[in-house]
Amino acid sequence: MTDSIMSKAATMEIPINSNGDTGTLPEDDSLEQDLQQVMVSGPNLNETSIVSGGYGGTAEGIIPTSSIKGSNMHHSSSSSSMMAEETTRGVAVEKLETVKKWGLNTYKCTKQMISERFGRGSRTVDLELEAQIEVLRDTKRKYENVLRLARALTNHFYNMVQTQHALGDTFADLSQKSPELRDEFGYNAETQKLLCKNGETLLGAINFFVSSINTLVNKTMEDTLMTIKMYENARLEFDAYRSDLEELSMGPRDAVAMARIEAAQQQYQIHKDKYERLRSDVTIKLKFLEENKVKVMHKQLLLFHNAISAYFAGNQQQLEQTLKQFNIKLRPPGADKPSWLEEQ
């Protein structure tokens, strides 16, 4: 029996991959049991010989196993290779489990979404919170329109100030070259320079207004909407696992079914806790956003009104006082920096 087993083991093909590592052999329980029996009942390997010519060879070329060097290094390398293989296999299994869970979750959520869209599935609704979310989205759209118009005003007004600056320089040059119209050109040059100076001051106020509205709309409101999006996804997952649990509860109650119901109950509780936590986060963020919006807009609308009124009334002192009141600093004259429009 031993000879037949050894013959079987010796004639098996061991596939080699491109890196020279042995491939995975198909499982053979009978061969493994026979080999274990040989290892237990067979002779001591230290007392046997290795025949270089294979089975049925002559006595020449027989090498005592005790003379082979480096056997310890071979076993150590083999152990390290096995540990690395086990680690790699563990990582692969973990990734496979992650992909499996993601696929199952995606399937359940897609099924729930389709059921809701066609009116076959029920969904959890918080009427008060849903109304607040819709108000926020509508407010964001309106504030985005204010921001777009304010930027357009900044653009047009900047071009006008630049034109006034160029016109003032032209009047001043003509005042020097036209003695008969020196006074007239001089008056207009001074007027355009004053308008240009006041225009740059107003641009500073409008630019501050635009920057604050942009922060409110594209950062503060957007951050709250991101939390709302996470809440809506959690709501969909919660309803998907709730529906799954309800379907299982209506089925048979054998041992397998009870195990599936218990697992579904655990997943349901996990997603319910996540949904309630995010709903609480959204409620808190909406409250603080409303308070922050009122505070910011009260300040910015007051600034915009005072600056526009002072400019078109020709009240240079009040215009400058408005900028000091809101701690707005203008660039020094002649500073080589990007224009107000370029900073938007």
Side-chain angles (χ1 to χ4, degrees), residues 232-291:
E232 291 174 341
N233 290 337
R235 196 280 309 163
L236 182 63
E237 291 180 346
F238 166 65
D239 282 338
Y241 283 91
R242 176 182 55 79
S243 299
D244 186 45
L245 178 61
E246 290 174 354
E247 290 178 6
L248 290 173
S249 299
M250 295 173 62
R253 293 303 182 100
D254 56 11
V256 176
M258 290 303 296
R260 294 180 61 186
I261 291 174
E262 184 179 354
Q265 179 68 38
Q266 293 176 356
Q267 290 297 319
Y268 164 79
Q269 190 61 45
I270 290 172
H271 288 87
K272 180 182 179 182
D273 293 342
K274 179 181 178 182
Y275 163 72
E276 291 179 347
R277 183 179 69 253
L278 284 170
R279 181 175 61 179
S280 176
D281 291 346
V282 170
T283 302
I284 293 172
K285 282 199 171 187
L286 285 173
K287 178 182 178 181
F288 282 108
L289 174 62
E290 183 64 23
E291 294 175 356

Side-chain angles (χ1 to χ4, degrees), residues 91-338:
V91 173
V93 170
E94 183 178 354
K95 289 183 178 179
L96 182 61
E97 286 296 324
T98 301
V99 172
K100 183 179 178 181
K101 290 180 181 178
W102 174 84
L104 182 61
N105 186 72
T106 302
Y107 166 74
K108 290 182 182 295
C109 292
T110 304
K111 179 182 176 183
Q112 176 68 21
M113 186 185 301
I114 294 174
S115 298
E116 291 178 5
R117 185 164 298 178
F118 288 95
R120 293 195 299 265
S122 61
R123 66 186 297 264
T124 303
V125 179
D126 188 328
L127 294 177
E128 183 180 356
L129 187 59
E130 292 290 337
Q132 293 177 4
I133 291 173
E134 187 57 35
V135 169
L136 171 60
R137 286 174 172 153
D138 183 62
T139 301
K140 186 173 184 289
R141 286 192 292 268
K142 292 177 179 178
Y143 276 48
E144 285 173 341
N145 190 43
V146 170
L147 181 61
R148 180 182 60 83
L149 294 174
R151 282 174 170 166
L153 176 63
T154 304
N155 183 22
H156 298 321
F157 199 77
Y158 172 79
N159 291 330
M160 188 186 75
V161 170
Q162 292 298 104
T163 302
Q164 288 175 333
H165 187 275
L167 190 59
D169 290 342
T170 302
F171 283 157
D173 182 63
L174 288 172
S175 176
Q176 298 295 326
K177 297 178 180 179
S178 304
E180 67 280 8
L181 296 173
R182 178 177 300 171
D183 293 340
E184 288 80 357
F185 277 125
Y187 296 152
N188 281 277
E190 291 297 327
T191 300
Q192 293 302 318
K193 288 181 180 179
L194 179 61
L195 289 174
C196 182
K197 180 181 178 181
N198 291 342
E200 290 177 348
T201 305
L202 179 59
L203 273 174
I206 297 177
N207 184 70
F208 186 77
F209 175 82
V210 168
S211 177
S212 299
I213 300 300
N214 179 66
T215 300
L216 177 64
V217 172
N218 293 320
K219 291 185 179 179
T220 309
M221 289 185 178
E222 190 62 29
D223 176 71
T224 303
L225 287 173
M226 287 296 294
T227 305
I228 290 173
K229 185 177 181 180
M230 294 169 60
Y231 156 75
E232 291 174 341
N233 290 337
R235 196 280 309 163
L236 182 63
E237 291 180 346
F238 166 65
D239 282 338
Y241 283 91
R242 176 182 55 79
S243 299
D244 186 45
L245 178 61
E246 290 174 354
E247 290 178 6
L248 290 173
S249 299
M250 295 173 62
R253 293 303 182 100
D254 56 11
V256 176
M258 290 303 296
R260 294 180 61 186
I261 291 174
E262 184 179 354
Q265 179 68 38
Q266 293 176 356
Q267 290 297 319
Y268 164 79
Q269 190 61 45
I270 290 172
H271 288 87
K272 180 182 179 182
D273 293 342
K274 179 181 178 182
Y275 163 72
E276 291 179 347
R277 183 179 69 253
L278 284 170
R279 181 175 61 179
S280 176
D281 291 346
V282 170
T283 302
I284 293 172
K285 282 199 171 187
L286 285 173
K287 178 182 178 181
F288 282 108
L289 174 62
E290 183 64 23
E291 294 175 356
N292 187 46
K293 182 195 72 174
V294 172
K295 182 179 179 181
V296 169
M297 292 308 299
H298 175 78
K299 177 181 178 180
Q300 294 305 317
L301 290 173
L302 184 62
L303 162 68
F304 191 82
H305 173 267
N306 291 348
I308 292 289
S309 299
Y311 173 81
F312 284 100
N315 192 335
Q316 180 181 359
Q317 183 178 1
Q318 183 180 350
L319 182 60
E320 294 176 351
Q321 185 62 34
T322 299
L323 267 68
K324 291 180 180 179
Q325 178 184 354
F326 292 94
N327 298 319
I328 302 174
K329 296 182 180 180
L330 298 177
R331 302 189 197 121
D336 187 15
K337 293 183 179 180

